[in-house]
Amino acid sequence: MRTDFAATRAMFHLPEGVIYLDGNSLGPLPKAAAARLARTVTEEWGEMLITGWNRAGWMALPSRVGDRIARLIGAPPGSVVMGDTLSIKVHQALASALALRPDRRVILSDTGNFPSDLYIAEGLARMLGGAYELRTVPPEKVADAITEEIAVTLLTEVDYRTGRRHDMPALTRRAHQAGALAIWDLAHSAGALPVDVTKGGADFAVGCTYKYLNSGPGGPAFIYVAPALADTARPALSGWLGHEAPFAFDLDYRPAPGVERMRVGTPPILQLAALEAALDVWDMADIADVRARAIELSEAFIAGVEARCPTLALASPRDPERRGSQVSFRHPEGYAIMQALIARGVIGDFRAPDILRFGFTPLYIGLAEVEGAVKILGDVMDGTLWDRPEYKTRARVT
Ligand SMILES: *Cc1c(COP(=O)(O)O)cnc(C)c1O
Protein backbone atom coordinates (compact mmCIF):
# COMPACT_ATOMS: atom_id res chain seq x y z
CA MET A 1 0.00 0.00 0.00
CA ARG A 2 1.42 3.31 -1.13
CA THR A 3 -0.97 5.68 0.62
CA ASP A 4 0.04 7.04 4.01
CA PHE A 5 -3.35 7.32 5.73
CA ALA A 6 -1.90 9.07 8.79
CA ALA A 7 -0.70 11.81 6.43
CA THR A 8 -4.03 12.11 4.61
CA ARG A 9 -5.89 12.24 7.91
CA ALA A 10 -3.70 15.12 9.07
CA MET A 11 -5.01 17.12 6.11
CA PHE A 12 -8.54 17.28 7.57
CA HIS A 13 -10.05 19.23 10.41
CA LEU A 14 -11.93 16.69 12.52
CA PRO A 15 -13.77 18.04 15.56
CA GLU A 16 -12.63 16.75 18.93
CA GLY A 17 -14.65 13.87 20.38
CA VAL A 18 -16.46 13.03 17.16
CA ILE A 19 -16.40 9.78 15.20
CA TYR A 20 -17.46 10.92 11.77
CA LEU A 21 -19.09 8.16 9.73
CA ASP A 22 -21.01 10.46 7.39
CA GLY A 23 -18.37 11.54 4.89
CA ASN A 24 -20.53 9.77 2.30
CA SER A 25 -23.05 12.59 2.75
CA LEU A 26 -20.85 15.59 3.57
CA GLY A 27 -17.09 15.31 3.66
CA PRO A 28 -15.23 17.07 6.52
CA LEU A 29 -13.27 20.29 6.09
CA PRO A 30 -9.85 19.90 4.45
CA LYS A 31 -7.48 22.34 6.18
CA ALA A 32 -6.19 23.46 2.78
CA ALA A 33 -9.74 24.36 1.72
CA ALA A 34 -10.17 26.75 4.64
CA ALA A 35 -6.86 28.47 3.81
CA ARG A 36 -7.61 28.58 0.10
CA LEU A 37 -11.10 30.02 0.68
CA ALA A 38 -9.69 32.75 2.88
CA ARG A 39 -7.12 33.60 0.22
CA THR A 40 -9.65 33.57 -2.60
CA VAL A 41 -11.95 35.86 -0.63
CA THR A 42 -9.39 38.40 0.52
CA GLU A 43 -6.69 38.36 -2.16
CA GLU A 44 -8.81 37.61 -5.21
CA TRP A 45 -12.36 38.86 -4.63
CA GLY A 46 -11.22 41.53 -2.18
CA GLU A 47 -8.28 42.94 -4.13
CA MET A 48 -8.87 42.01 -7.75
CA LEU A 49 -12.61 42.60 -7.86
CA ILE A 50 -13.97 41.84 -11.33
CA THR A 51 -10.48 41.55 -12.82
CA GLY A 52 -10.25 38.21 -10.96
CA TRP A 53 -12.13 36.55 -13.82
CA ASN A 54 -8.97 36.96 -15.89
CA ARG A 55 -6.17 37.61 -13.41
CA ALA A 56 -7.06 34.84 -10.98
CA GLY A 57 -8.21 32.47 -13.72
CA TRP A 58 -11.74 32.17 -12.35
CA MET A 59 -13.29 31.62 -15.77
CA ALA A 60 -11.13 28.57 -16.44
CA LEU A 61 -11.73 27.05 -13.00
CA PRO A 62 -14.65 24.77 -14.02
CA SER A 63 -12.51 22.97 -16.61
CA ARG A 64 -9.28 23.07 -14.61
CA VAL A 65 -10.97 21.41 -11.65
CA GLY A 66 -12.88 19.17 -14.08
CA ASP A 67 -9.57 17.78 -15.32
CA ARG A 68 -8.60 16.82 -11.77
CA ILE A 69 -11.93 15.05 -11.24
CA ALA A 70 -11.42 13.36 -14.62
CA ARG A 71 -8.32 11.59 -13.28
CA LEU A 72 -10.37 10.10 -10.47
CA ILE A 73 -13.02 8.64 -12.77
CA GLY A 74 -10.88 7.41 -15.65
CA ALA A 75 -11.84 10.24 -18.01
CA PRO A 76 -9.42 11.97 -20.39
CA PRO A 77 -8.51 15.67 -19.91
CA GLY A 78 -11.10 18.01 -21.38
CA SER A 79 -14.05 15.66 -20.87
CA VAL A 80 -15.33 16.85 -17.48
CA VAL A 81 -16.65 20.25 -16.46
CA MET A 82 -17.87 21.57 -13.12
CA GLY A 83 -20.91 23.59 -12.14
CA ASP A 84 -24.43 23.69 -10.75
CA THR A 85 -25.83 20.93 -8.57
CA LEU A 86 -26.04 17.24 -9.33
CA SER A 87 -29.79 17.45 -9.94
CA ILE A 88 -29.14 19.99 -12.72
CA LYS A 89 -26.38 17.83 -14.18
CA VAL A 90 -28.73 14.83 -14.24
CA HIS A 91 -31.21 16.97 -16.17
CA GLN A 92 -28.54 18.05 -18.65
CA ALA A 93 -27.19 14.55 -19.25
CA LEU A 94 -30.64 13.07 -19.63
CA ALA A 95 -31.97 15.75 -21.97
CA SER A 96 -28.90 15.47 -24.20
CA ALA A 97 -29.00 11.69 -24.22
CA LEU A 98 -32.70 11.58 -25.13
CA ALA A 99 -32.07 13.96 -28.03
CA LEU A 100 -29.40 11.54 -29.30
CA ARG A 101 -31.98 8.71 -29.44
CA PRO A 102 -34.93 10.54 -31.04
CA ASP A 103 -36.72 7.35 -32.12
CA ARG A 104 -36.99 5.98 -28.58
CA ARG A 105 -39.20 7.06 -25.69
CA VAL A 106 -38.31 5.14 -22.55
CA ILE A 107 -35.93 6.16 -19.75
CA LEU A 108 -34.93 3.19 -17.60
CA SER A 109 -33.99 3.60 -13.95
CA ASP A 110 -34.41 1.61 -10.75
CA THR A 111 -36.36 1.98 -7.54
CA GLY A 112 -33.13 2.23 -5.55
CA ASN A 113 -32.08 5.38 -7.35
CA PHE A 114 -31.88 8.65 -5.45
CA PRO A 115 -35.26 10.39 -5.62
CA SER A 116 -33.88 13.59 -7.16
CA ASP A 117 -32.66 11.63 -10.19
CA LEU A 118 -36.10 10.09 -10.59
CA TYR A 119 -37.91 13.40 -10.03
CA ILE A 120 -35.72 15.12 -12.61
CA ALA A 121 -36.43 12.33 -15.13
CA GLU A 122 -40.16 12.53 -14.41
CA GLY A 123 -40.14 16.31 -14.79
CA LEU A 124 -38.20 16.16 -18.03
CA ALA A 125 -40.56 13.52 -19.46
CA ARG A 126 -43.47 15.81 -18.60
CA MET A 127 -41.74 18.81 -20.12
CA LEU A 128 -41.20 16.87 -23.33
CA GLY A 129 -44.95 16.62 -23.76
CA GLY A 130 -45.80 13.32 -22.15
CA ALA A 131 -44.52 11.19 -25.04
CA TYR A 132 -41.76 9.89 -22.78
CA GLU A 133 -41.98 7.26 -20.07
CA LEU A 134 -39.81 6.88 -16.98
CA ARG A 135 -39.73 3.15 -16.25
CA THR A 136 -38.38 2.06 -12.86
CA VAL A 137 -37.70 -1.55 -11.99
CA PRO A 138 -36.12 -3.10 -8.87
CA PRO A 139 -32.31 -2.78 -9.01
CA GLU A 140 -31.79 -6.50 -9.53
CA LYS A 141 -34.14 -6.44 -12.55
CA VAL A 142 -32.34 -3.67 -14.45
CA ALA A 143 -30.31 -5.94 -16.74
CA ASP A 144 -33.40 -7.79 -17.97
CA ALA A 145 -35.33 -4.56 -18.46
CA ILE A 146 -32.82 -3.17 -20.99
CA THR A 147 -34.70 -3.79 -24.22
CA GLU A 148 -34.68 -2.10 -27.60
CA GLU A 149 -37.40 0.26 -26.37
CA ILE A 150 -34.98 1.95 -23.99
CA ALA A 151 -33.48 5.26 -25.07
CA VAL A 152 -31.36 5.84 -21.99
CA THR A 153 -30.44 4.02 -18.80
CA LEU A 154 -30.16 6.43 -15.86
CA LEU A 155 -28.50 4.56 -13.02
CA THR A 156 -26.58 5.40 -9.88
CA GLU A 157 -23.69 3.01 -9.38
CA VAL A 158 -23.98 2.86 -5.58
CA ASP A 159 -27.40 2.87 -3.91
CA TYR A 160 -27.58 5.75 -1.43
CA ARG A 161 -29.66 3.71 0.99
CA THR A 162 -28.17 0.22 1.03
CA GLY A 163 -24.77 0.77 -0.57
CA ARG A 164 -25.58 -1.91 -3.19
CA ARG A 165 -23.34 -1.49 -6.20
CA HIS A 166 -24.36 -2.03 -9.81
CA ASP A 167 -22.02 -3.76 -12.25
CA MET A 168 -21.36 -0.64 -14.28
CA PRO A 169 -19.36 -2.12 -17.21
CA ALA A 170 -21.79 -5.04 -17.63
CA LEU A 171 -24.93 -2.86 -17.60
CA THR A 172 -23.33 -0.32 -19.92
CA ARG A 173 -22.44 -3.08 -22.38
CA ARG A 174 -25.97 -4.33 -22.22
CA ALA A 175 -27.41 -0.85 -22.82
CA HIS A 176 -25.17 -0.42 -25.85
CA GLN A 177 -26.10 -3.82 -27.25
CA ALA A 178 -29.74 -2.74 -27.07
CA GLY A 179 -28.90 0.54 -28.79
CA ALA A 180 -29.43 2.66 -25.65
CA LEU A 181 -27.17 5.28 -24.08
CA ALA A 182 -25.90 4.90 -20.52
CA ILE A 183 -25.81 7.70 -17.96
CA TRP A 184 -24.07 6.92 -14.69
CA ASP A 185 -24.54 8.87 -11.50
CA LEU A 186 -21.29 8.61 -9.54
CA ALA A 187 -22.45 10.53 -6.44
CA HIS A 188 -21.38 7.69 -4.14
CA SER A 189 -18.51 6.45 -6.32
CA ALA A 190 -16.21 9.37 -7.15
CA GLY A 191 -13.55 9.42 -4.45
CA ALA A 192 -14.87 6.20 -2.91
CA LEU A 193 -14.00 3.51 -5.43
CA PRO A 194 -11.98 3.10 -8.60
CA VAL A 195 -14.17 4.23 -11.50
CA ASP A 196 -13.24 4.08 -15.16
CA VAL A 197 -15.81 5.77 -17.36
CA THR A 198 -13.59 5.21 -20.40
CA LYS A 199 -13.13 1.45 -20.02
CA GLY A 200 -16.68 1.13 -18.71
CA GLY A 201 -17.96 2.91 -21.81
CA ALA A 202 -20.28 5.39 -20.05
CA ASP A 203 -21.84 7.92 -22.42
CA PHE A 204 -22.48 10.48 -19.69
CA ALA A 205 -21.46 10.53 -16.04
CA VAL A 206 -22.42 12.97 -13.33
CA GLY A 207 -21.68 13.30 -9.64
CA CYS A 208 -21.42 15.62 -6.70
CA THR A 209 -18.30 16.73 -4.88
CA TYR A 210 -19.49 17.47 -1.34
CA LYS A 211 -19.63 13.75 -0.44
CA TYR A 212 -16.40 11.76 -0.91
CA LEU A 213 -14.57 14.67 -2.56
CA ASN A 214 -14.95 17.00 0.45
CA SER A 215 -15.79 20.26 -1.35
CA GLY A 216 -18.12 21.47 1.42
CA PRO A 217 -21.86 22.11 1.60
CA GLY A 218 -23.23 23.17 -1.77
CA GLY A 219 -20.02 22.31 -3.67
CA PRO A 220 -20.50 22.09 -7.45
CA ALA A 221 -21.30 18.93 -9.38
CA PHE A 222 -19.44 17.49 -12.37
CA ILE A 223 -20.52 16.19 -15.73
CA TYR A 224 -18.57 13.93 -18.08
CA VAL A 225 -19.53 13.50 -21.71
CA ALA A 226 -17.81 10.74 -23.69
CA PRO A 227 -15.49 12.48 -26.19
CA ALA A 228 -17.24 10.75 -29.11
CA LEU A 229 -20.50 12.51 -28.18
CA ALA A 230 -19.22 15.77 -26.77
CA ASP A 231 -19.44 17.73 -30.01
CA THR A 232 -22.89 16.46 -30.94
CA ALA A 233 -24.70 16.39 -27.58
CA ARG A 234 -27.12 19.35 -27.53
CA PRO A 235 -27.30 21.07 -24.16
CA ALA A 236 -30.89 21.60 -23.06
CA LEU A 237 -29.86 24.30 -20.58
CA SER A 238 -28.21 26.52 -23.15
CA GLY A 239 -26.72 29.23 -21.00
CA TRP A 240 -24.26 31.87 -22.08
CA LEU A 241 -21.19 30.21 -20.58
CA GLY A 242 -21.84 27.09 -22.65
CA HIS A 243 -21.81 29.28 -25.77
CA GLU A 244 -18.94 29.07 -28.21
CA ALA A 245 -18.13 32.76 -27.63
CA PRO A 246 -19.88 34.07 -24.51
CA PHE A 247 -18.36 37.52 -24.80
CA ALA A 248 -19.44 37.97 -28.41
CA PHE A 249 -22.93 38.36 -26.93
CA ASP A 250 -24.52 36.93 -30.06
CA LEU A 251 -28.28 36.73 -30.18
CA ASP A 252 -28.17 33.08 -31.26
CA TYR A 253 -26.90 30.15 -29.30
CA ARG A 254 -24.00 28.15 -30.67
CA PRO A 255 -22.68 25.44 -28.33
CA ALA A 256 -19.03 25.56 -27.29
CA PRO A 257 -16.85 22.71 -28.53
CA GLY A 258 -16.74 19.62 -26.34
CA VAL A 259 -17.88 19.36 -22.75
CA GLU A 260 -17.62 23.15 -22.17
CA ARG A 261 -21.11 23.34 -23.68
CA MET A 262 -22.41 21.79 -20.47
CA ARG A 263 -21.53 24.94 -18.57
CA VAL A 264 -24.61 27.05 -17.91
CA GLY A 265 -24.02 30.31 -16.06
CA THR A 266 -21.56 32.01 -13.72
CA PRO A 267 -19.50 29.36 -11.88
CA PRO A 268 -19.44 29.29 -8.04
CA ILE A 269 -15.85 30.49 -7.62
CA LEU A 270 -15.64 30.21 -3.83
CA GLN A 271 -16.92 26.64 -3.84
CA LEU A 272 -14.67 25.73 -6.74
CA ALA A 273 -11.67 27.16 -4.91
CA ALA A 274 -12.52 25.05 -1.85
CA LEU A 275 -12.91 21.99 -4.06
CA GLU A 276 -9.63 22.57 -5.86
CA ALA A 277 -7.81 22.64 -2.52
CA ALA A 278 -9.79 19.62 -1.28
CA LEU A 279 -8.54 17.62 -4.26
CA ASP A 280 -4.90 18.00 -3.16
CA VAL A 281 -5.31 14.95 -0.93
CA TRP A 282 -5.59 12.84 -4.10
CA ASP A 283 -2.00 13.70 -4.98
CA MET A 284 -1.10 11.57 -1.94
CA ALA A 285 -3.80 8.93 -2.04
CA ASP A 286 -4.26 6.01 -4.37
CA ILE A 287 -7.92 5.18 -4.96
CA ALA A 288 -7.15 1.43 -5.01
CA ASP A 289 -5.65 1.77 -1.51
CA VAL A 290 -8.65 3.80 -0.36
CA ARG A 291 -10.99 1.11 -1.64
CA ALA A 292 -9.02 -1.71 -0.01
CA ARG A 293 -8.94 0.10 3.33
CA ALA A 294 -12.64 1.00 3.11
CA ILE A 295 -13.48 -2.68 2.67
CA GLU A 296 -11.31 -3.56 5.67
CA LEU A 297 -13.07 -0.94 7.81
CA SER A 298 -16.59 -1.88 6.70
CA GLU A 299 -15.95 -5.59 7.22
CA ALA A 300 -14.71 -4.85 10.75
CA PHE A 301 -17.78 -2.69 11.41
CA ILE A 302 -20.22 -5.35 10.18
CA ALA A 303 -18.53 -8.08 12.21
CA GLY A 304 -18.50 -5.88 15.31
CA VAL A 305 -22.12 -4.73 15.02
CA GLU A 306 -23.42 -8.22 14.28
CA ALA A 307 -21.63 -9.56 17.34
CA ARG A 308 -22.83 -6.76 19.66
CA CYS A 309 -26.26 -5.80 18.26
CA PRO A 310 -28.32 -8.82 17.15
CA THR A 311 -31.47 -6.72 16.58
CA LEU A 312 -29.84 -4.68 13.82
CA ALA A 313 -30.26 -6.29 10.41
CA LEU A 314 -27.63 -5.75 7.73
CA ALA A 315 -29.27 -3.91 4.80
CA SER A 316 -26.15 -3.81 2.62
CA PRO A 317 -24.88 -6.66 0.45
CA ARG A 318 -22.65 -8.97 2.45
CA ASP A 319 -20.13 -9.30 -0.36
CA PRO A 320 -17.89 -6.21 -0.12
CA GLU A 321 -17.41 -6.23 -3.89
CA ARG A 322 -21.14 -5.67 -4.26
CA ARG A 323 -21.09 -2.66 -1.91
CA GLY A 324 -19.91 0.90 -2.16
CA SER A 325 -18.16 2.56 0.76
CA GLN A 326 -21.08 2.58 3.18
CA VAL A 327 -22.77 0.06 5.42
CA SER A 328 -26.44 0.20 6.36
CA PHE A 329 -28.45 -1.55 9.02
CA ARG A 330 -32.22 -1.67 9.45
CA HIS A 331 -34.15 -1.18 12.65
CA PRO A 332 -37.74 0.08 13.12
CA GLU A 333 -36.39 2.67 15.62
CA GLY A 334 -33.52 3.62 13.31
CA TYR A 335 -34.14 7.35 13.61
CA ALA A 336 -34.04 7.41 17.42
CA ILE A 337 -31.01 5.11 17.48
CA MET A 338 -29.12 7.45 15.17
CA GLN A 339 -30.03 10.48 17.30
CA ALA A 340 -28.76 8.65 20.40
CA LEU A 341 -25.52 7.88 18.54
CA ILE A 342 -25.08 11.47 17.42
CA ALA A 343 -25.64 12.66 21.00
CA ARG A 344 -22.70 10.41 21.94
CA GLY A 345 -20.42 11.73 19.19
CA VAL A 346 -20.91 9.03 16.55
CA ILE A 347 -22.23 10.74 13.45
CA GLY A 348 -23.93 8.66 10.77
CA ASP A 349 -27.34 9.34 9.29
CA PHE A 350 -30.81 7.96 8.85
CA ARG A 351 -32.71 7.29 5.65
CA ALA A 352 -36.43 6.59 5.72
CA PRO A 353 -38.05 4.28 6.48
CA ASP A 354 -35.65 2.37 8.74
CA ILE A 355 -32.05 2.66 7.55
CA LEU A 356 -29.05 3.57 9.72
CA ARG A 357 -26.25 4.55 7.38
CA PHE A 358 -22.52 4.63 8.11
CA GLY A 359 -19.87 5.78 5.63
CA PHE A 360 -16.27 4.54 5.68
CA THR A 361 -13.79 7.06 4.37
CA PRO A 362 -10.20 5.91 4.94
CA LEU A 363 -8.68 9.30 4.09
CA TYR A 364 -9.53 10.30 7.66
CA ILE A 365 -11.20 7.31 9.39
CA GLY A 366 -9.34 4.29 10.78
CA LEU A 367 -9.91 1.12 12.76
CA ALA A 368 -9.92 2.97 16.09
CA GLU A 369 -13.02 4.93 15.00
CA VAL A 370 -14.72 1.77 13.79
CA GLU A 371 -14.13 0.08 17.14
CA GLY A 372 -15.27 3.17 19.03
CA ALA A 373 -18.47 3.36 16.98
CA VAL A 374 -19.23 -0.34 17.51
CA LYS A 375 -18.81 0.05 21.25
CA ILE A 376 -21.07 3.10 21.50
CA LEU A 377 -23.70 1.54 19.23
CA GLY A 378 -23.53 -1.60 21.38
CA ASP A 379 -24.10 0.46 24.55
CA VAL A 380 -27.02 2.33 22.95
CA MET A 381 -28.68 -0.94 21.93
CA ASP A 382 -27.95 -2.89 25.16
CA GLY A 383 -29.27 -0.10 27.39
CA THR A 384 -32.15 0.94 25.05
CA LEU A 385 -30.60 4.39 25.39
CA TRP A 386 -32.40 5.53 22.21
CA ASP A 387 -35.81 5.29 23.88
CA ARG A 388 -36.21 8.94 24.84
CA PRO A 389 -38.71 11.42 23.45
CA GLU A 390 -36.02 13.91 22.34
CA TYR A 391 -34.52 11.31 20.01
CA LYS A 392 -37.84 10.70 18.26
CA THR A 393 -38.71 14.16 16.99
CA ARG A 394 -37.64 14.32 13.37
CA ALA A 395 -35.49 17.24 12.33
CA ARG A 396 -35.80 18.77 8.86
CA VAL A 397 -32.64 17.00 7.68
CA THR A 398 -32.27 13.39 8.81
C1 LIG B 1 -26.48 13.21 -3.16
C2 LIG B 1 -27.20 12.84 -4.40
C3 LIG B 1 -27.93 13.79 -5.14
C4 LIG B 1 -28.09 15.20 -4.64
O1 LIG B 1 -28.27 16.09 -5.67
P1 LIG B 1 -28.00 17.65 -5.44
O2 LIG B 1 -28.56 18.29 -6.64
O3 LIG B 1 -26.52 17.82 -5.29
O4 LIG B 1 -28.70 18.04 -4.18
C5 LIG B 1 -28.49 13.39 -6.34
N1 LIG B 1 -28.37 12.12 -6.79
C6 LIG B 1 -27.70 11.18 -6.10
C7 LIG B 1 -27.60 9.80 -6.63
C8 LIG B 1 -27.12 11.50 -4.88
O5 LIG B 1 -26.48 10.57 -4.16
Side-chain angles (χ1 to χ4, degrees):
M1 200 170 283
R2 164 182 99 67
T3 307
D4 176 354
F5 286 109
T8 60
R9 180 193 182 100
M11 296 175 80
F12 290 89
H13 169 78
L14 298 163
E16 206 54 49
V18 165
I19 296 179
Y20 193 58
L21 303 182
D22 215 355
N24 53 307
S25 208
L26 177 70
L29 171 67
K31 292 172 185 166
R36 170 66 189 273
L37 262 177
R39 232 180 32 248
T40 304
V41 168
T42 53
E43 292 171 24
E44 297 182 7
W45 179 18
E47 294 302 318
M48 296 181 191
L49 296 166
I50 201 168
T51 68
W53 288 107
N54 289 320
R55 283 168 65 205
W58 293 344
M59 202 43 102
L61 209 45
S63 357
R64 193 165 89 213
V65 175
D67 280 345
R68 291 183 69 177
I69 302 276
R71 280 186 243 146
L72 293 174
I73 61 167
S79 64
V80 174
V81 77
M82 311 303 300
D84 317 296
T85 70
L86 177 50
S87 303
I88 303 277
K89 286 329 198 195
V90 168
H91 179 97
Q92 283 187 294
L94 188 56
S96 295
L98 288 176
L100 290 165
R101 286 290 176 274
D103 52 332
R104 299 190 181 195
R105 290 287 179 270
V106 183
I107 304 160
L108 180 69
S109 191
D110 70 67
T111 51
N113 205 346
F114 191 80
S116 199
D117 297 40
L118 300 177
Y119 302 160
I120 290 283
E122 199 186 298
L124 182 59
R126 211 175 324 111
M127 200 165 90
L128 292 171
Y132 284 83
E133 175 197 345
L134 167 64
R135 189 173 295 168
T136 45
V137 298
E140 62 281 6
K141 296 271 164 56
V142 167
D144 290 337
I146 302 176
T147 62
E148 299 202 344
E149 265 182 294
I150 308 300
V152 182
T153 58
L154 173 63
L155 300 169
T156 298
E157 186 187 16
V158 176
D159 186 309
Y160 75 104
R161 234 196 240 112
T162 62
R164 176 206 39 76
R165 183 186 181 194
H166 273 310
D167 185 339
M168 189 167 138
L171 290 175
T172 306
R173 237 179 351 260
R174 189 142 182 150
H176 289 166
Q177 279 161 4
L181 291 171
I183 302 174
W184 284 99
D185 189 327
L186 303 176
H188 295 274
S189 310
L193 359 132
V195 178
D196 196 321
V197 291
T198 304
K199 269 202 212 125
D203 298 295
F204 294 83
V206 292
C208 46
T209 59
Y210 48 80
K211 292 172 180 162
Y212 293 94
L213 297 172
N214 313 305
S215 68
F222 65 84
I223 184 166
Y224 159 82
V225 184
L229 301 175
D231 285 326
T232 35
R234 276 304 287 192
L237 300 173
S238 38
W240 73 304
L241 289 186
H243 192 279
E244 187 180 17
F247 285 86
F249 295 105
D250 287 344
L251 293 185
D252 301 316
Y253 181 77
R254 273 178 288 122
V259 77
E260 287 263 335
R261 65 184 54 194
M262 293 298 166
R263 289 176 65 162
V264 182
T266 304
I269 296 305
L270 299 181
Q271 303 258 208
L272 278 165
L275 170 59
E276 193 173 37
L279 291 174
D280 284 350
V281 72
W282 294 104
D283 297 339
M284 300 170 54
D286 183 316
I287 189 75
D289 294 346
V290 169
R291 173 65 172 160
R293 178 63 66 91
I295 289 178
E296 219 177 281
L297 298 178
S298 7
E299 291 288 278
F301 185 71
I302 293 173
V305 172
E306 289 191 326
R308 275 295 307 266
C309 316
T311 58
L312 294 179
L314 183 66
S316 301
R318 197 163 285 281
D319 174 2
E321 291 304 323
R322 305 298 313 138
R323 289 197 304 265
S325 213
Q326 67 178 71
V327 171
S328 303
F329 284 91
R330 287 183 203 281
H331 192 285
E333 292 292 344
Y335 184 80
I337 296 167
M338 186 52 74
Q339 296 316 301
L341 280 178
I342 293 171
R344 288 162 181 79
V346 178
I347 304 186
D349 60 21
F350 170 79
R351 287 295 175 261
D354 58 358
I355 296 271
L356 293 136
R357 196 167 69 148
F358 303 92
F360 294 93
T361 46
L363 292 179
Y364 49 86
I365 290 295
L367 213 47
E369 282 82 15
V370 170
E371 285 163 3
V374 168
K375 183 185 175 312
I376 294 171
L377 179 55
D379 293 347
V380 164
M381 298 311 292
D382 287 349
T384 329
L385 305 180
W386 50 265
D387 193 10
R388 295 171 65 116
E390 69 266 33
Y391 295 151
K392 298 188 181 178
T393 319
R394 300 248 173 138
R396 184 161 176 179
V397 174
T398 64

